[in-house]
Amino acid sequence: MSQSGTTTPHLVLKNRFLSYLIWQSIPSSLIFLFFSSLLPHSSLCYFLLFLPFHLLFSATLSLVSSPHPLRPLSPLHLATRLLRFLFIPATAPHPADFRARLRLSLAFFLFVAASAASGFAAAVSLAGVAPIRDGFWAIGRVGFRGFLIGSLFGFHYVFKRRWVLDFPIIQRPPFFSFKMGVPSATRRAFKLSTVAFLFSAVLLEVLPHPFNYGIATRRFFAEQIIFYVASFAIFLCWELTHHLHWVLHTKRSIFAPPKGSAAAETNPSEHLLSALEESNPTSLLRYLAYLDLCMVCENNVDTWRRAGFFEETGETYKRVIAVCLRPLEHLVTKLGEGLGNSVDKPAQLSNQLSSPTDPRPDSKCVEELYNFQLYAWCSRTVASLTAFSRKEDKFGVAQLSGSNAAVVSTLISCLLAVENFMGKKTNLQSPNQLLGPAGIKWATINSGRVDVAAGKRRSGPVNSKAYAIADVLKTSIYQIVSAFHDEMLAGAKGNLLEKDWITSGKPLFGTREMLIQKLRLFLDFRAT
């Protein structure tokens, strides 16, 4: 979606939401019309009941979706806070993220309620009223089962974290992406509708309710078949709506003025920097801006936009590097707080004395590691910009501003922190054991016992994210080393490597000697 010079970046989300509401009505209407022609008790007049409730479901689906893997409040935590507020007004202040987590919990509750209401309306619309003499009880029986399957879908959607927007690795046209996802959405709808049908049938018999069948066996089986077909249609409608929402909201936006305009000639990066610096850190707008920035820095399609980063003053380049390093620095800080800096003696002693089955490091870092796609974009962006600066930076702003040293130091510090989380410890060795005074042995700690905690982390889903982040960081560092290999070798021989590529201050994780040693391993292509 291209932006004109008079369009603000914040209109991107509004336009996407409106286009999503319009386009989602097309497959939903087609599914309803197709299955209403198959089911004997359905009628087109019920479409007026189905449409507004499905529109409510679609709107709440967009409300809970987020690219940032937020963590809602647990029901126990929410109840505890409510009781403290009612009976102990002068309680301790809420945490900084309490309001955001509370809003997310309320949004999830609204989504589950909207799913249940949509299931009720859709079941009544498609399954219809079987015999006229059953009257209200037939509507209540079918609607109650629709309410149950809607609630089941809502809880499944929330607890399986399907509301997190994962951006595709390869950007394709929206129609092609939607078409490619229809078979998988159909299979998932079939599985979920089968489970929901059995769940609602059993629950309808177990729970006390006035909607007894009171009908013959033949009609009973006929109604079961009709409801199963209707439930499959409902789940198919929901799955396609979810898939269309994902396709439209993860499509790349181009935050740039039209090529050839006055704004493109004077300041082509203002739209992008405005979206990166002024939007909410967890908003979809900022993630779309990071995606656009990453594609500009990696590809050779919009070279005129990348050339705008290397303007003479160097302010634009420093702002771009700053907004990309900030999430990586945040990750290093959180990992350091959760695990402790392995080179600090108090933290190292604390790690040695901790129980081998203590899961606290995982619980402290899980929320940060799930934000993998943002860290991958930032790492790839700064690596590509640094590598391209060797040939495209005519004014030398990358080197003169100190951005090259900041980029390499942050990437290596982040890699050390992630490796520490995965169980790959960093031990300083004595000068007699290795050649250099700052020699480092990169190996897992061998303390004479099995590291059970590290073993558990390696098999968990959180640690798979850590491995993925480590791979992206290594690839990014190798990209920079490959581009400046000759210069780095010459600097290493003249003892200028650390001066040009490592910052002089204390790094966020580890020590400066560790960063220098790690950089030399990359320079020798021995970092694994």
Side-chain angles (χ1 to χ4, degrees):
M1 183 182 299
S2 179
Q3 287 180 252
S4 63
T6 58
T7 303
T8 61
H10 297 279
L11 289 178
V12 173
L13 300 184
K14 180 180 179 181
N15 295 336
R16 290 200 174 195
F17 178 70
L18 293 178
S19 63
Y20 155 70
L21 290 182
I22 295 173
W23 284 105
Q24 62 85 27
S25 62
I26 297 178
S28 304
S29 302
L30 293 177
I31 291 172
F32 181 88
L33 295 175
F34 175 76
F35 282 94
S36 64
S37 63
L38 298 178
L39 298 176
H41 305 294
S42 181
S43 175
L44 293 179
C45 64
Y46 291 126
F47 183 70
L48 299 177
L49 175 65
F50 164 78
L51 188 59
F53 283 95
H54 182 70
L55 187 62
L56 174 64
F57 167 81
S58 303
T60 54
L61 177 66
S62 185
L63 176 66
V64 299
S65 297
S66 172
H68 189 80
L70 299 171
R71 186 162 52 96
L73 292 174
S74 63
L76 180 61
H77 189 189
L78 187 61
T80 303
R81 285 286 178 178
L82 181 61
L83 291 177
R84 286 183 180 179
F85 176 77
L86 293 177
F87 298 102
I88 312 177
T91 184
H94 298 300
D97 60 342
F98 177 79
R99 291 179 178 270
R101 295 177 62 186
L102 179 61
R103 286 194 296 266
L104 183 64
S105 302
L106 295 178
F108 283 158
F109 176 79
L110 179 61
F111 172 74
V112 174
S115 301
S118 177
F120 175 88
V124 173
S125 301
L126 286 172
V129 180
I132 296 179
R133 66 171 180 266
D134 284 349
F136 170 77
W137 303 114
I139 298 178
R141 183 167 59 246
V142 173
F144 182 62
R145 293 189 69 176
F147 178 86
L148 293 177
I149 66 173
S151 303
L152 180 65
F153 179 84
F155 283 113
H156 174 269
Y157 195 89
V158 170
F159 285 104
K160 286 296 184 179
R161 301 174 63 89
R162 299 182 63 192
W163 48 273
V164 179
L165 291 173
D166 293 324
F167 287 76
I169 298 177
I170 301 175
Q171 287 282 328
R172 298 184 177 93
F175 177 76
F176 181 78
S177 298
F178 178 76
K179 182 183 67 173
M180 294 297 294
V182 170
S184 61
T186 305
R187 289 192 297 269
R188 187 179 291 111
F190 175 76
K191 295 177 182 178
L192 291 177
S193 62
T194 303
V195 174
F197 170 78
L198 297 176
F199 169 78
S200 62
V202 172
L203 208 60
L204 198 67
E205 295 297 328
V206 173
L207 294 178
H209 59 85
F211 309 128
N212 294 321
Y213 282 93
I215 52 179
T217 304
R218 184 176 179 181
R219 290 173 52 200
F220 170 79
F221 284 108
E223 184 171 324
Q224 300 306 309
I225 295 174
I226 292 174
F227 185 81
Y228 179 75
V229 175
S231 63
F232 171 73
I234 295 171
F235 274 91
L236 180 60
C237 184
W238 286 339
E239 288 294 333
L240 291 181
T241 301
H242 159 73
H243 180 60
L244 181 63
H245 177 272
W246 173 80
V247 169
L248 294 180
H249 283 76
T250 58
K251 183 182 66 172
R252 178 194 177 190
S253 287
I254 300 178
F255 294 85
K259 189 175 181 180
S261 61
E265 297 293 335
T266 56
N267 194 357
S269 307
E270 187 58 34
H271 286 302
L272 180 60
L273 291 173
S274 175
L276 288 170
E277 296 175 344
E278 299 176 7
S279 59
N280 191 307
T282 61
S283 66
L284 177 60
L285 179 63
R286 178 164 293 192
Y287 278 72
L288 291 172
Y290 273 113
L291 173 61
D292 182 46
L293 175 61
C294 183
M295 298 188 71
V296 169
C297 295
E298 285 188 333
N299 303 326
N300 288 324
V301 178
D302 297 328
T303 55
W304 63 277
R305 295 182 59 191
R306 189 168 65 232
F309 298 154
F310 301 105
E311 48 90 17
E312 186 175 2
T313 63
E315 292 299 323
T316 302
Y317 188 83
K318 288 191 291 185
R319 290 171 65 186
V320 170
I321 294 297
V323 296
C324 290
L325 293 184
R326 195 172 299 125
L328 297 176
E329 294 170 352
H330 175 76
L331 174 63
V332 176
T333 302
K334 291 299 181 180
L335 290 178
E337 292 174 355
L339 297 175
N341 197 327
S342 61
V343 299
D344 294 336
K345 290 184 178 180
Q348 186 177 4
L349 179 62
S350 176
N351 290 339
Q352 292 175 355
L353 295 178
S354 62
S355 172
T357 58
D358 189 2
R360 286 180 297 172
D362 284 5
S363 61
K364 291 179 181 179
C365 306
V366 57
E367 186 176 353
E368 301 301 327
L369 292 175
Y370 270 113
N371 201 12
F372 163 75
Q373 55 191 4
L374 178 60
Y375 303 135
W377 288 336
C378 293
S379 178
R380 289 158 50 189
T381 298
V382 294
S384 299
L385 265 184
T386 305
F388 276 115
S389 68
R390 188 176 183 273
K391 296 182 179 180
E392 299 181 7
D393 186 7
K394 300 178 181 179
F395 303 102
V397 296
Q399 183 69 25
L400 295 177
S401 63
S403 298
N404 287 351
V407 167
V408 174
S409 300
T410 303
L411 291 178
I412 297 180
S413 295
C414 191
L415 179 60
L416 291 176
V418 174
E419 287 181 341
N420 184 275
F421 172 82
M422 296 188 299
K424 190 175 181 179
K425 306 299 182 179
T426 303
N427 295 330
L428 291 174
Q429 304 297 324
S430 64
N432 297 329
Q433 291 177 306
L434 293 175
L435 297 177
I440 303 172
K441 180 182 179 181
W442 299 91
T444 305
I445 289 180
N446 185 9
S447 57
R449 62 177 176 85
V450 178
D451 194 348
V452 181
K456 286 189 176 183
R457 289 199 297 269
R458 288 191 183 95
S459 61
V462 178
N463 209 61
S464 63
K465 297 291 185 181
Y467 274 103
I469 295 174
D471 289 340
V472 173
L473 291 171
K474 292 175 186 177
T475 304
S476 301
I477 298 173
Y478 269 126
Q479 184 179 359
I480 298 174
V481 170
S482 299
F484 292 91
H485 191 259
D486 295 338
E487 290 85 346
M488 286 185 174
L489 283 179
K493 293 178 181 179
N495 294 326
L496 297 176
L497 179 65
E498 55 270 21
K499 179 181 179 181
D500 295 335
W501 296 98
I502 301 297
T503 55
S504 58
K506 186 181 184 302
L508 295 173
F509 191 89
T511 62
R512 192 167 184 266
E513 290 74 17
M514 289 182 179
L515 270 63
I516 297 172
Q517 179 67 21
K518 193 70 170 178
L519 179 58
R520 290 181 180 272
L521 292 176
F522 277 99
L523 189 59
D524 296 336
F525 297 97
R526 293 190 292 117
T528 57

